[in-house]
Amino acid sequence: MEIQLWKELLDPYEQAVSELVTKFRNLREEYRRKNVYSPIESVSGRVKTVKSILEKMQKKGISFEKLEDEVEDIAGVRIICQFVEDINSVAELLEKRTDMEIRSRKDYLANNKKNSGYRSLHLIIYYTVQTIDGPKKLQVEVQIRTMAMNFWATTEHSLQYKYKGEIPEHVAEKLAAAADAIEILDNEMSTVRHEIMNAQIDSQFETNVIKDILRNIENLYRLDNKREVVKIQNEFYKIFSTHNLEELERFRKQLDILAEGSGAQSIEHYKSL
Ligand code: 0O2
């Protein structure tokens, strides 16, 4: 048998995880910039440890020749959502992308939760990384779940480790009860989903409006009568303290017109070129 070069094998998977985490985080930022609710709350990723790969190969009787085909989660990316409904939205987003292809889907949601109580949606995707030796097509497991599901899975995973996969009956019962409670919690949260979504969109909108106002004030300060700009800034602080979003938006529009008239916006434009 030839020597297994683990680093060489795993490096492209590290690259895939790093690229995918960045891409999914960028999606979340794009939603936020556009004041649209993001179904993605947070993203993380990991490459399976050699110990964990070897254990899986042993458990499932997988040979080294079949390792990359049959261990589907050498690279893993986890997308956390706020609400159960967001999970399918994220899956649809992935289905539409041209830089990945969904190979298979494991739905452990709703009525399909595992006996342990585990709930999550897994998409096994093909993703190609460009290496100095050319393109390499890899499998990546994308786990999509809510924050509550993630809390349960992370805790249960630690217990699996502690008890080496043999969780005692009385602990397993507690975990099963906690899994049921988490399902109820997720369903309860779904009933106030629209209210929470609207509150978050408003908050993000306010953040973006304030960012615009401060950028314009800074640009005007570089160009205009400094005393006038200090007055504008004071006016902004006054409106800000009222927490009136409509007033803040009106102020932003006025400042936009002023900044455009004095060429302050173009400073930003040239700076970004
Ligand atoms: P790690 O440390 O995350 O890499 P199986 O044969 O059931 O073990 P299979 O067929 O390879 O798993 O695929 P499956 O069911 O999609 O599981 C892959 C991963 O999903 C697991 O990886 C876990 O991360 C997660 N998972 C699946 N079932 C459970 C569960 O009951 N509890 C928790 N906490 N996580 C689960 P690994 O290799 O187990 O671990």
Side-chain angles (χ1 to χ4, degrees):
M1 185 179 123
E2 277 186 39
I3 183 104
Q4 182 68 41
L5 299 172
W6 284 103
K7 188 169 167 5
E8 205 166 289
L9 173 85
L10 297 181
D11 273 352
Y13 289 89
E14 292 282 358
Q15 188 179 330
V17 168
S18 156
E19 288 180 13
L20 287 167
V21 167
T22 304
K23 286 181 177 188
F24 295 142
R25 285 188 182 149
N26 283 345
L27 279 179
R28 184 192 58 192
E29 293 317 308
E30 193 183 337
Y31 279 113
R32 291 188 175 166
R33 271 197 309 277
K34 291 183 175 159
N35 297 317
V36 178
Y37 172 79
S38 169
I40 299 174
E41 174 63 21
S42 63
V43 186
S44 60
R46 63 98 184 96
V47 170
K48 218 172 172 63
T49 60
V50 174
K51 171 179 170 279
S52 183
I53 295 174
L54 287 172
E55 280 169 357
K56 195 159 212 166
M57 289 170 73
Q58 236 170 37
K59 187 174 133 200
K60 298 194 161 187
I62 299 169
S63 65
F64 278 102
E65 288 69 38
K66 300 236 169 102
L67 162 61
E68 288 193 83
D69 272 344
E70 295 187 10
V71 180
E72 299 162 334
D73 65 339
I74 297 178
V77 173
R78 189 168 292 158
I79 300 180
I80 306 297
C81 311
Q82 292 191 85
F83 303 102
V84 180
E85 291 80 355
D86 299 336
I87 296 177
N88 275 329
S89 307
V90 173
E92 280 164 21
L93 267 181
L94 266 63
E95 274 159 23
K96 281 192 222 132
R97 292 188 69 108
T98 54
D99 56 350
M100 57 193 72
E101 179 197 334
I102 296 179
R103 200 212 75 188
S104 61
R105 182 185 171 109
K106 292 184 192 169
D107 187 340
Y108 301 127
L109 296 169
N111 302 322
N112 300 324
K113 74 175 167 192
K114 282 195 162 183
N115 290 339
S116 58
Y118 180 75
R119 285 190 305 142
S120 196
L121 176 67
H122 294 185
L123 299 179
I124 311 297
I125 62 165
Y126 285 123
Y127 181 74
T128 303
V129 287
Q130 303 296 330
T131 73
I132 50 174
D133 301 317
K136 187 167 166 59
K137 190 172 170 180
L138 308 168
Q139 299 193 86
V140 179
E141 181 185 75
V142 184
Q143 298 183 341
I144 314 170
R145 49 169 90 139
T146 63
M147 291 192 261
M149 292 173 194
N150 193 47
F151 169 57
W152 185 93
T154 315
T155 313
E156 197 257 4
H157 196 272
S158 312
L159 290 172
Q160 289 282 4
Y161 181 78
K162 176 177 155 82
Y163 293 110
K164 302 192 170 51
E166 301 288 334
I167 295 188
E169 193 57 33
H170 71 283
V171 181
E173 277 170 18
K174 294 253 180 243
L175 281 168
D180 290 343
I182 272 172
E183 201 170 341
I184 294 170
L185 170 71
D186 268 333
N187 293 339
E188 282 294 311
M189 293 306 284
S190 288
T191 62
V192 285
R193 179 168 176 257
H194 286 287
E195 253 177 87
I196 298 173
M197 276 168 64
N198 287 340
Q200 287 173 350
I201 290 168
D202 279 356
S203 160
Q204 187 59 46
F205 181 66
E206 190 175 2
T207 304
N208 289 344
V209 168
I210 291 169
K211 222 155 83 184
D212 278 356
I213 290 174
L214 293 178
R215 196 193 54 222
N216 271 334
I217 289 180
E218 214 178 293
N219 288 343
L220 281 168
Y221 189 74
R222 293 203 200 106
L223 287 178
D224 266 15
N225 180 334
K226 306 241 182 300
R227 225 183 273 166
E228 276 304 308
V229 181
V230 170
K231 269 194 216 157
I232 293 173
Q233 181 180 258
N234 290 341
E235 176 69 12
F236 160 65
Y237 286 137
K238 217 163 79 193
I239 297 171
F240 177 73
S241 66
T242 65
H243 296 289
N244 185 331
L245 193 52
E246 276 171 25
E247 276 296 297
L248 210 57
E249 169 63 350
R250 189 189 51 77
F251 185 75
R252 180 185 71 140
K253 281 188 182 147
Q254 281 179 348
L255 203 59
D256 258 357
I257 296 167
L258 190 72
E260 208 174 310
S262 63
Q265 282 188 326
S266 51
I267 294 185
E268 210 46 45
H269 177 68
Y270 282 116
K271 259 174 58 185
S272 64
L273 285 180

